[in-house]
Amino acid sequence: MAKKASLVVLISGDGSNLQAIIDAVNRKQLDAEITAVISNQVSAKGLDRACKENITTHVIDHKAYTSRENFDQAMIQVIDEASPDLVILAGFMRILSQAFIKHYQHRLINIHPSLLPKYKGLNTHQQAIDNQDKIHGASVHYVGAELDSGPVVIQVEIPVFSSDTAQTLASRVLVEEHKIYPLAIEMHLNNRIQFKNNQIQLDKQPLNKPLLWKEEKLITDK
Ligand code: GRF
């Protein structure tokens, strides 16, 4: 039997996206094994989620390193032991060095709670409310050189209600994140995503716009 694809997941907190990926592996949506979960926070709840599934966990505390580069090198060492086909950032709250990003080019993916390129960085839900956006959402993207940049594969859109707070909005977005992240990972594992001259392709065609997940369906042409 062919060896299963190896997924390494990096977390810092609750790990609800990690859970969605675990669930997708368990229901065989993803033909893969989560070979390691790495957290920079010893108290991350996601570590318990991984332990429950007998997934190998590592805590690499960024505070124990004198520079971002040294911390990232320590992570690279641990990650590479798992020979990952894909390195998945799932609420990993550290900015990554260029060396790390380059090392995993085209196999490093992130989920961000906004409709990128809108609202890079933190407090995305509050920004959507403050700007009276009618639509908000989340994006799955390959990691580029700049913070929260890189080609977006799938976005999900949800309506913003006038009664929304940052918390209510965040929790509705999160429910949708749990659907689109496994879908994007599945596309990567099935080799549907490729990079040609640094241009992202889906099914061998340039992916000029992100796919859109709306009303429980994947829409390929907006
Ligand atoms: C999510 O909102 C994700 O988009 C962002 O961090 C949050 C992580 O949540 N990058 P969880 O730890 O997966 O529950």
Side-chain angles (χ1 to χ4, degrees):
M1 224 168 67
K3 205 167 160 282
K4 283 191 181 233
S6 163
L7 305 177
V8 171
V9 185
L10 272 54
I11 61 166
S12 298
D14 185 46
S16 68
N17 277 290
L18 164 66
Q19 188 65 55
I21 297 161
I22 291 172
D23 294 345
V25 169
N26 288 346
R27 67 173 175 263
K28 301 195 172 16
Q29 179 188 351
L30 301 178
D31 186 17
E33 185 185 351
I34 303 173
T35 44
V37 167
I38 301 173
S39 173
N40 65 315
Q41 299 285 357
V42 68
S43 57
K45 186 177 159 207
L47 289 169
D48 301 335
R49 299 179 188 271
C51 285
K52 270 198 194 118
E53 301 286 324
N54 294 319
I55 298 168
T56 304
T57 59
H58 304 267
V59 175
I60 308 178
D61 180 358
H62 59 278
K63 295 190 289 303
Y65 295 85
T66 49
S67 69
R68 189 178 302 287
E69 284 70 24
N70 290 348
F71 169 63
D72 283 6
Q73 282 308 321
M75 286 207 298
I76 287 175
Q77 256 186 12
V78 173
I79 294 170
D80 283 355
E81 275 167 29
S83 310
D85 293 285
L86 189 62
V87 178
I88 301 167
L89 305 174
F92 184 67
M93 301 301 286
R94 299 293 305 164
I95 292 175
L96 296 163
S97 63
Q98 292 304 313
F100 186 97
I101 293 169
K102 202 157 170 230
H103 188 80
Y104 297 109
Q105 199 187 22
H106 302 159
R107 54 183 179 127
L108 179 60
I109 201 166
N110 183 40
I111 190 156
H112 182 75
S114 78
L115 294 170
L116 288 171
K118 265 191 167 180
Y119 313 140
K120 296 177 178 182
L122 300 173
N123 303 322
T124 58
H125 309 296
Q126 191 59 53
Q127 290 187 70
I129 290 173
D130 292 347
N131 288 322
Q132 301 183 342
D133 290 356
K134 298 271 173 281
I135 303 281
H136 182 48
S139 310
V140 178
H141 67 98
Y142 285 85
V143 174
E146 320 267 307
L147 179 68
D148 297 324
S149 74
V152 179
V153 185
I154 306 181
Q155 291 187 320
V156 59
E157 292 184 353
I158 64 157
V160 183
F161 303 133
S162 53
S163 56
D164 265 324
T165 62
Q167 283 76 18
T168 59
L169 196 49
S171 54
R172 285 210 317 286
V173 169
L174 206 51
V175 171
E176 301 302 317
E177 289 185 28
H178 300 159
K179 298 173 191 167
I180 61 169
Y181 216 1
L183 276 177
I185 296 166
E186 184 184 353
M187 285 179 182
H188 181 96
L189 295 179
N190 291 343
N191 292 320
R192 293 185 63 196
I193 305 277
Q194 267 154 12
F195 290 85
K196 206 166 180 192
N197 304 324
N198 262 338
Q199 154 76 50
I200 191 165
Q201 295 190 331
L202 173 70
D203 299 333
K204 301 202 170 17
Q205 298 302 317
L207 182 63
N208 296 319
K209 286 185 211 164
L211 304 174
L212 179 65
W213 179 257
K214 208 173 168 186
E215 289 156 10
E216 306 301 315
K217 279 196 293 278
L218 200 56
I219 299 164
T220 46
D221 197 12
K222 274 199 209 184

